Amino acid sequence: MNQYNQYKTMLQKAADINYASAVLQWDQETYMPENGASMRARQLATLAGYAHELSTDKHLGVLLNELIGDVKLDGQQQANIRHSLKDYKQRAKYPAAFVEEMSLAISKAFNSWHEAKTKNDFKLFQPDLEKLVDLKLREADLLGYKEHPYDALLDQYEHGLTVAQIKPLFADVRNQLVDFVKQITPMKVDSSFMHLHYPKNEQWDFGMKLLADMGYDFKAGRQDMSSHPFTTNFNSHDVRVTTRIDENNLHEMIWSTIHEGGHALYEQGLLLENYGLPMGEAVSLGIHESQSRLWENNVGRSLNYWKHYYPIIQKIFTSQLGNVDLNTFYKAMNEVKPSFIRTNADELTYHFHIMIRFEIEVQLMEQKVKVSELPELWNALYKEYLGIDVPSVSQGVLQDVHWSHGSLGYFPTYSIGSFYAAQFFASAKKQIPGLENQLATGNYSELLQWLRTNIHVHGKLYSADELCNRITGESLNFKYFMDYAKEKYLGMK
Ligand code: ZN
């Protein structure tokens, strides 16, 4: 077997193990009985150990170092080797003792975060978060960075992204979006009908239709229920989504279904022949999120979308929606209203939640703020950007699980995803004649095809910035999101 094929075989074996773990995790979140938890944790740990052995195998390192300059390889193969060597070198930077210390600190922090949130007492979490921040600073040093320690953390989720690139984006959010939200709120709409009783089975059937219409392939996936909706994939021919149904809140199922559907279409659009290789994987978390947000916001929250679906859903829920007209429904679906909880936020104020977390994380990594000062800083920033008084630490600084997982640098990818989505969608509108009409008649095949050819099939061939430039002719900027917001909310009747 030639060296490239040896490399491919090793990577695909590691993928087999990782995706087998993913099946077990999917099962854990959906169907596993309560008592299965402890043995499942053991099974996952064993598999993680095997996958780690394979991906840090010395022979793999030798192969990668020999293949990196091989001019006989084609462009895709060279890109695979480049990415794999980078990953390999990154993994090698972590001493085993550090990995163990981090993993222990995370499980401790996750438990104390949970308790602190339940008891509404930040002090229960504080020492464990201090420990994690300390480890994150050490991790940044291990990984190395040019300008800012936070860059090393960002790079793990969004390769190449830096503080210097995010700051101007959020400066635009601060300078443009904060005032814009003040200008359009409070919105005059009575959205109480969204919280009438919507029976589960009817909601489920409607959600399945939304997914099928988007082009989600049910022969290569399935939908189930879970308490936190997610998308997982075992290969591009088996991509699963979950949703959550609240019988007294119609928003919940609709947005989670379309959002996860957008993630899933990306995974289903990757090429099976690139299974287990970088060319068979998504570019980054930000680009992944651009796919879910494009479907959720630019498509799903548009008036065109509801021109098609409103008569359908109105027929299903006649007693709840029979007397509500399309415009009122559309406005209620898009109500902008500052709130405490990120995951319930509308598509505009959502970015203030992210901006706050970004500012805090940067200050933590600059050691300019102490963990003990976070509740106070959090509340001050919510007052400043959202104009609201945070009522408790449970609904404030403790609301998200991310920090207890040690995931610093993750939050910005959510906002980046929405901004990419707006920029991509503006290009799609220019490049697909009659797109608006297609959306208004429930026809998404051309849009999906456009996403497939421009984004999905490439895997990691292009970086996020290269991809954005190829599609839109410029790097990521905030202008498109702001234009989208203005056109939509100023045009609302
Ligand atoms: Zn998402």
Side-chain angles (χ1 to χ4, degrees):
M1 206 190 314
N2 72 26
Q3 284 189 317
Y4 186 81
N5 284 334
Q6 284 180 47
Y7 147 78
K8 194 173 158 183
T9 305
M10 288 187 83
L11 237 69
Q12 291 183 328
K13 259 193 189 168
D16 290 340
I17 295 175
N18 285 326
Y19 289 129
S21 296
V23 179
L24 292 181
Q25 277 161 344
W26 168 84
D27 172 72
Q28 186 167 18
E29 302 283 326
T30 50
Y31 294 106
M32 188 184 75
E34 208 180 320
N35 291 349
S38 60
M39 290 314 273
R40 180 58 48 87
R42 179 199 144 114
Q43 291 154 352
L44 285 167
T46 300
L47 289 176
Y50 279 126
H52 181 76
E53 262 174 46
L54 277 177
S55 59
T56 52
D57 191 311
K58 287 218 167 58
H59 183 55
L60 179 62
V62 171
L63 282 174
L64 288 168
N65 279 302
E66 285 185 10
L67 285 165
I68 186 70
D70 192 338
V71 289
K72 290 193 295 294
L73 300 178
D74 68 29
Q76 291 227 358
Q77 292 173 326
Q78 289 184 19
N80 276 331
I81 297 297
R82 251 192 342 264
H83 281 284
S84 294
L85 183 59
K86 178 186 180 273
D87 294 344
Y88 187 84
K89 283 183 175 164
Q90 288 286 94
R91 280 191 293 269
K93 287 177 182 169
Y94 289 97
F98 181 84
V99 174
E100 204 171 312
E101 198 180 348
M102 180 69 96
S103 137
L104 283 173
I106 287 172
S107 41
K108 211 163 160 249
F110 176 73
N111 287 328
S112 68
W113 165 76
H114 197 266
E115 197 193 346
K117 190 180 172 183
T118 314
K119 295 187 176 161
N120 193 31
D121 182 357
F122 184 74
K123 290 225 157 41
L124 295 172
F125 180 46
Q126 189 183 314
D128 293 329
L129 183 57
E130 279 164 356
K131 171 79 184 167
L132 274 182
V133 170
D134 181 49
L135 284 167
K136 284 282 143 180
L137 284 162
R138 277 164 60 194
E139 186 177 3
D141 284 335
L142 286 171
L143 292 170
Y145 55 86
K146 282 200 190 99
E147 283 174 17
H148 199 289
Y150 192 65
D151 293 348
L153 306 183
L154 284 170
D155 187 72
Q156 296 172 306
Y157 305 111
E158 194 69 25
H159 178 46
L161 188 68
T162 61
V163 172
Q165 287 166 5
I166 300 178
K167 276 195 169 161
L169 289 171
F170 281 129
D172 286 345
V173 172
R174 203 178 302 113
N175 296 332
Q176 300 172 37
L177 200 57
V178 172
D179 279 344
F180 183 70
V181 166
K182 280 184 192 145
Q183 187 189 333
I184 61 166
T185 52
M187 274 169 63
K188 284 189 204 78
V189 59
D190 177 8
S191 54
S192 55
F193 61 86
M194 295 297 290
H195 298 275
L196 296 173
H197 185 78
Y198 292 89
K200 193 171 161 185
N201 286 344
E202 281 79 2
Q203 282 204 52
W204 172 266
D205 291 345
F206 182 64
M208 290 291 272
K209 176 175 169 52
L210 295 182
L211 274 180
D213 291 353
M214 285 167 76
Y216 178 82
D217 181 359
F218 278 95
K219 284 196 177 133
R222 53 177 288 127
Q223 181 176 248
D224 294 272
M225 305 271 279
S226 69
S227 52
H228 299 282
F230 65 93
T231 302
T232 185
N233 59 297
F234 316 135
N235 62 74
S236 61
H237 287 189
D238 191 350
V239 180
R240 317 241 174 136
V241 289
T242 68
T243 193
R244 170 162 68 183
I245 295 178
D246 179 344
E247 293 197 308
N248 298 307
N249 181 357
L250 191 55
H251 288 287
E252 194 76 55
M253 182 285 293
I254 291 177
W255 302 132
S256 71
T257 300
I258 304 177
H259 183 96
E260 300 308 329
H263 279 304
L265 288 176
Y266 189 3
E267 293 291 341
Q268 287 187 337
L270 294 165
L271 301 181
L272 193 64
E273 68 208 48
N274 292 329
Y275 170 78
L277 304 172
M279 292 307 107
E281 288 167 2
V283 180
S284 65
L285 284 185
I287 297 296
H288 224 307
E289 196 66 7
S290 80
Q291 299 307 286
S292 57
R293 297 282 173 179
L294 185 142
W295 285 97
E296 181 191 341
N297 296 344
N298 305 89
V299 177
R301 291 184 200 267
S302 71
L303 184 58
N304 279 328
Y305 191 77
W306 291 103
K307 276 183 189 161
H308 176 69
Y309 283 110
Y310 193 56
I312 298 171
I313 195 173
Q314 218 179 5
K315 240 184 226 141
I316 303 170
F317 301 113
T318 321
S319 65
Q320 300 90 331
L321 299 174
N323 294 323
V324 178
D325 64 22
L326 169 64
N327 265 327
T328 309
F329 182 80
Y330 170 62
K331 223 171 154 180
M333 289 303 249
N334 283 293
E335 189 176 11
V336 175
K337 193 178 178 184
S339 61
F340 311 116
I341 307 294
R342 175 184 64 85
T343 52
N344 298 339
D346 59 82
E347 61 175 335
L348 299 189
T349 62
Y350 186 85
H351 300 293
F352 305 154
H353 294 261
I354 301 301
M355 181 164 69
I356 289 168
R357 287 152 178 77
F358 169 70
E359 285 184 17
I360 292 176
E361 291 184 349
V362 168
Q363 289 192 45
L364 280 172
M365 293 306 281
E366 286 172 351
Q367 294 174 278
K368 280 191 182 151
V369 63
K370 290 195 202 104
V371 168
S372 60
E373 296 162 344
L374 290 191
E376 207 182 317
L377 176 61
W378 181 281
N379 295 355
L381 290 169
Y382 266 76
K383 184 76 185 171
E384 185 181 346
Y385 296 139
L386 287 133
I388 53 179
D389 294 301
V390 175
S392 66
V393 282
S394 292
Q395 289 170 283
V397 68
L398 290 174
Q399 66 180 268
D400 295 308
V401 69
H402 300 59
W403 290 343
S404 79
H405 282 162
S407 301
L408 269 77
Y410 192 114
F411 283 120
T413 66
Y414 291 129
S415 281
I416 299 269
S418 291
F419 305 158
Y420 272 128
Q423 197 163 331
F424 291 161
F425 194 69
S427 287
K429 279 209 282 195
K430 276 186 219 144
Q431 290 167 24
I432 305 172
L435 178 62
E436 306 271 3
N437 255 334
Q438 293 174 14
L439 298 184
T441 50
N443 174 7
Y444 312 110
S445 57
E446 236 187 295
L447 176 63
L448 178 56
Q449 200 46 49
W450 187 89
L451 294 168
R452 290 263 195 263
T453 21
N454 283 294
I455 300 167
H456 303 174
V457 295
H458 299 305
K460 276 186 157 67
L461 183 59
Y462 305 110
S463 70
D465 187 49
E466 284 166 353
L467 197 68
C468 188
N469 272 284
R470 280 175 60 91
I471 296 170
T472 71
E474 53 190 318
S475 289
L476 177 67
N477 61 76
F478 184 64
K479 180 183 172 293
Y480 292 94
F481 185 86
M482 202 56 223
D483 285 350
Y484 157 76
K486 280 185 187 157
E487 191 189 329
K488 175 169 175 177
Y489 289 94
L490 296 177
M492 229 174 243
K493 288 179 195 85

